[in-house]
Amino acid sequence: MRIVLLGSPGSGKGTQASCIEKEFGIPHISTGDIFRDNISRNTTIGAEAKKFIERGLLVPDSLTVSIVESRLVEEDCNEGFLLDGFPRNIAQAEALDKDLEKMEKKLDAVVNLEVSAETIIERMAGRRICSDCGESYNLCFLKPAVDGICDKCGGKLYIREDDKPETVMNRLNVYKNQTFPLIDYYKGKGILISVNGEQPADKVYGDICRALERFK
Ligand code: AP5
Ligand code: MG
């Protein structure tokens, strides 16, 4: 099963992707996570990506597309994958189409998480991430049992660098201008599935599972 998770920053892509990955047994590929991992390891890719991420801008397509291309040919992607945060503009979507065509494969579905701008801002302000295992929490919606500590591994929770209010506004503008048009792009291909992302995370997940059942 080859799936793309689409949605504005903070819409819940990462939260849903970790559940889908387990249930459907396909690797979760998040370009944002790949960049953050490179930044934390001080790689050349990380240094280049950081310049854009900290301003809330998209990392250039040439770098992003080549990272995804090399990831998709890895063995664990043979039976499918779940892309989170890629594609993020029409050029990336076209590049993905071409790559899949070369591999004689195609996307099964694009799941779009629909969430209002007010909810997005609230969610991003409350997001906390585990510095050890990467688990995502939210001070308003998905609180950890003990303040500042991960329920799963006991790691310390931190605020993501690009969740500062001024960077969030840039990310939302980039989404509106560059990523939002992908909804029509995939609608046109007949593979768009829209899900109400305003609901509690487990309800959103239930809706996604029902929609994806036929591709299992
Ligand atoms: P990326 O890491 O992809 O970030 P994003 O798209 O901005 O999305 P987020 O990770 O912020 O949110 P999410 O949708 O995963 O929501 P989450 O589940 O965490 O990209 C970061 C940057 O990298 C980009 O700005 C760009 O610079 C660069 N980049 C990445 N991909 C790129 C590409 N393809 N091209 C160029 N540049 C690229 O949830 C958010 C919060 O809400 C959490 O606290 C969570 O606990 C909570 N929550 C989730 N679901 C619910 C729910 N149903 N109810 C209540 N709370 C919920
Ligand atoms: Mg994410």
Side-chain angles (χ1 to χ4, degrees):
M1 186 162 62
R2 283 170 285 274
I3 307 288
V4 165
L5 259 183
L6 208 59
S8 130
S11 58
K13 300 183 296 296
T15 304
Q16 297 303 325
S18 1
C19 304
I20 299 170
E21 178 180 37
K22 283 180 211 130
E23 170 82 21
F24 293 84
I26 47 174
H28 168 202
I29 302 167
S30 156
T31 37
D33 286 348
I34 294 173
F35 289 137
R36 280 184 291 276
D37 173 57
N38 274 277
I39 292 170
S40 71
R41 291 186 291 113
N42 291 316
T43 67
T44 319
I45 290 176
E48 179 64 10
K50 191 170 190 276
K51 292 191 265 179
F52 298 90
I53 293 180
E54 64 190 11
R55 286 186 286 154
L57 304 175
L58 293 188
V59 176
D61 291 343
S62 51
L63 177 59
T64 310
V65 169
S66 73
I67 284 174
V68 174
E69 281 176 342
S70 37
R71 181 66 187 86
L72 292 185
V73 294
E74 284 181 36
E75 210 183 326
D76 64 338
C77 293
N78 281 349
E79 298 307 315
F81 52 76
L82 171 65
L83 283 169
D84 156 6
F86 183 93
R88 237 173 163 99
N89 58 25
I90 300 284
Q92 292 182 8
E94 288 173 348
L96 177 63
D97 285 347
K98 272 196 196 136
D99 288 332
L100 290 174
E101 208 175 295
K102 270 188 234 153
M103 294 186 239
E104 297 183 353
K105 289 176 176 167
K106 61 177 186 52
L107 284 178
D108 293 305
V110 174
V111 176
N112 179 38
L113 298 176
E114 293 182 320
V115 181
S116 68
E118 300 78 58
T119 305
I120 292 295
I121 289 168
E122 219 180 343
R123 282 187 190 174
M124 286 165 95
R127 174 162 51 190
R128 298 291 181 274
I129 312 280
C130 174
S131 48
D132 289 342
C133 73
E135 185 72 13
S136 181
Y137 294 89
N138 196 286
L139 299 189
C140 308
F141 308 104
L142 300 164
K143 274 187 163 184
V146 179
D147 262 6
I149 302 291
C150 176
D151 291 353
K152 290 201 170 161
C153 75
K156 273 196 184 156
L157 304 186
Y158 74 98
I159 302 177
R160 222 167 83 176
E161 218 15 68
D162 59 350
D163 275 349
K164 290 181 219 135
E166 63 279 14
T167 316
V168 166
M169 289 324 287
N170 285 344
R171 287 164 67 199
L172 292 177
N173 274 332
V174 166
Y175 170 76
K176 201 168 96 192
N177 296 326
Q178 301 195 46
T179 312
F180 186 77
L182 288 178
I183 295 177
D184 274 347
Y185 182 85
Y186 287 118
K187 217 182 254 173
K189 291 180 178 288
I191 54 171
L192 188 83
I193 295 169
S194 283
V195 170
N196 174 8
E198 293 272 345
Q199 314 170 84
D202 57 336
K203 291 256 163 47
V204 178
Y205 181 58
D207 284 358
I208 294 176
C209 282
R210 271 187 292 281
L212 295 183
E213 196 60 37
R214 66 195 152 109
F215 301 112
K216 252 182 170 179

